[in-house]
Amino acid sequence: MVKVGIVALGKYLPPKKMTNFDLEKIVDTSDEWIMARTGIKERRISALEEKTSDIAVKAALDALRNSSLKAEDIEAIFVATVTPDSNFPSVACLVQKAIGAKKAFAYDISAACSGFLYAMTTAKQFIATGMVKNALVIAADRFTTIIDWKDRNTCVLFGDGGGACVLAPVKEGGILSDYLISDGECASLMGVVPDKVRTPFDPSVDAAKLPYVVMNGQELFKKAVPGMAEAVDIAAEKAGIPLDQIKCVVPHQANDRIIASVAKRAGIDKEKFFINIDKYGNISAASVVVALCEAVETGRIKKGDRVGLVVFGAGLVAAANIVEWSY
Ligand code: UT7
């Protein structure tokens, strides 16, 4: 098996910011509540005409600029998203066209907030087995397009954005372990309603009502903490790395209190966790890769460091990887 690593990262966040104070004007909430309960200060809102594929393309081009590869060299493209431009064609194929990656095969992966690690782990297998030489893994979501802006339980939490990485063979380090786990028994804890699958004919469905996110926040919180703590623990064991040798943990950014509880439960100092939820809120699949990109940009992660990546999302889906940083 070929050793596979992340060789470049990129990101794109729409420039328009929405602060907690802006939200105070549209729902019964406060900056104080949002900060205390989630750690979020502001989030990014995509422009009306900006599609998920546009966000994915910008993140992908940023990652390619940071790599030694050109779009024509890319052999596989995976896009993790739950807010594609439309059911099909896939966002991955739209990215392929936009960047001119003519040699690649391309498809989307749906694993909600865990999407990036599901896509990265999938891409890794293709390279490890020699089927392709490299892959572009992108996560992009526009959760603000599926939010009920009258529901304070959800509308304060999410934002838009994208991140990407280039995966390729590495001589040393790379992705040391993978752990993916799903629990469809808890699928009802978060999703989009009304369920479009019930059409073409169901008079009880109000066709004019747009689908929006419903979430049982408290139950998800209770599942996320042990789920993420266990995932990072198992991934570390699979990598043969004691948890105290992990220099930095980059978690899914859903709630600062979830991250604190995961740190406590896993027995890892919270100072080791990279957190940027204050700036972007929860950007679904893109959260972990945008945070990873910023952790590398700011020097929190350096060559040789052992890094834990850990995510959790609707499905339920959780994942963790241990990576030895290669550049
Ligand atoms: O990333 C994918 C998966 N999603 C998650 O992981 C989310 C996990 N869950 C959470 O992060 C938290 O459960 C939330 C941030 C969603 C909610 O925090 P909480 O501490 O669990 O609050 P709660 O739902 O227990 O609500 C406490 C109170 C309620 O009022 P009462 O009934 O005590 O009077 C809510 O109505 O806070 C109220 N509340 C708000 N107040 C002001 C709920 N949302 C808001 C709000 N502003 N935006």
Side-chain angles (χ1 to χ4, degrees), residues 28-30 33-34 37-38 113 152-153 156-158 190 215 217-218 220-221 224 252 254-255 257-258 282 312-314:
D28 179 17
T29 191
S30 64
W33 190 95
I34 302 171
R37 309 304 290 173
T38 71
C113 296
R152 68 175 184 173
N153 292 299
V156 304
L157 303 174
F158 298 97
M190 187 176 179
M215 182 180 90
Q218 281 185 356
L220 276 174
F221 194 117
H252 172 49
N255 187 325
R257 288 187 298 132
I258 293 180
N282 182 347
F312 187 88

Side-chain angles (χ1 to χ4, degrees), residues 2-23:
V2 177
K3 275 188 186 181
V4 182
I6 296 171
V7 296
L9 284 159
K11 67 180 195 297
Y12 170 74
L13 284 313
K16 188 178 171 193
K17 293 177 184 174
M18 182 185 267
T19 66
N20 293 346
F21 298 106
D22 296 329
L23 279 163

